[in-house]
Amino acid sequence: MVAAERVKINTFLDLSGHTAGVVQGDPYNEAFRSIIANLNVQCQFVEFSSYEQVLEALHHGWIDAGVLDHLKLGGVTLPDGEVITPIIFSPVTLRVAQPEGSDPRFLEAVDYHLARLKKTPGSAYYQLLEKFFDK
């Protein structure tokens, strides 16, 4: 989630009385609305057709926060006055697949190299985690 720095959003409860931009048909839209409803937070939703439109609306001050895919934010430099909030929800598992009948050594190589990267502090794996998830 991204927010205007002026609103200080650190938890779902901080969204009370604010507007949040969401993308129509996005699975995070549904998950976010469900969490907000379960917490009984009074938040107004504004739907957009893309993450880019959510960011533009946030930049212009039309909304206070925006629900975005964290992977989309990895390469985005936010303008002054906009921040990535500590709110992360609805995590997903990423998997690598290949067509049936393909050489199994490909997935074996992916598994091997990923395991090595995870065992090495400061590796490209951890650099990307820091870039994309600010960890």
Side-chain angles (χ1 to χ4, degrees):
M1 169 166 274
V2 177
E5 197 170 35
R6 64 181 162 68
V7 294
K8 307 287 187 239
I9 294 175
N10 293 307
T11 71
F12 289 107
L13 300 177
D14 294 335
L15 288 160
S16 184
H18 293 287
T19 55
V22 294
V23 175
Q24 294 171 335
D26 187 71
Y28 297 113
N29 181 345
E30 272 186 48
F32 182 74
R33 286 176 185 261
S34 176
I35 292 168
I36 293 297
N38 287 337
L39 292 172
N40 200 28
V41 171
Q42 300 303 309
C43 177
Q44 181 182 357
F45 299 98
V46 180
E47 290 196 341
F48 297 92
S49 58
S50 70
Y51 290 131
E52 290 77 16
Q53 287 180 347
V54 172
L55 285 170
E56 182 179 346
L58 183 63
H59 175 71
H60 289 293
W62 303 331
I63 57 175
D64 299 313
V67 176
L68 303 172
D69 182 333
H70 226 70
L71 293 175
K72 289 272 187 183
L73 291 174
V76 172
T77 302
L78 296 175
D80 289 341
E82 299 171 19
V83 296
I84 297 175
T85 71
I87 299 173
I88 297 176
F89 65 96
S90 196
V92 296
T93 300
L94 299 177
R95 298 177 186 263
V96 177
Q98 66 183 31
E100 189 175 336
S102 298
D103 188 342
R105 292 179 295 177
F106 169 74
L107 290 180
E108 291 168 5
V110 169
D111 289 343
Y112 171 79
H113 289 289
L114 187 56
R116 285 193 66 202
L117 289 168
K118 286 181 170 183
K119 289 180 183 177
T120 307
S123 69
Y125 173 82
Y126 290 106
Q127 290 172 25
L128 287 171
L129 278 181
E130 187 172 323
K131 178 181 177 181
F132 285 97
F133 297 104
D134 198 28
K135 297 278 182 214

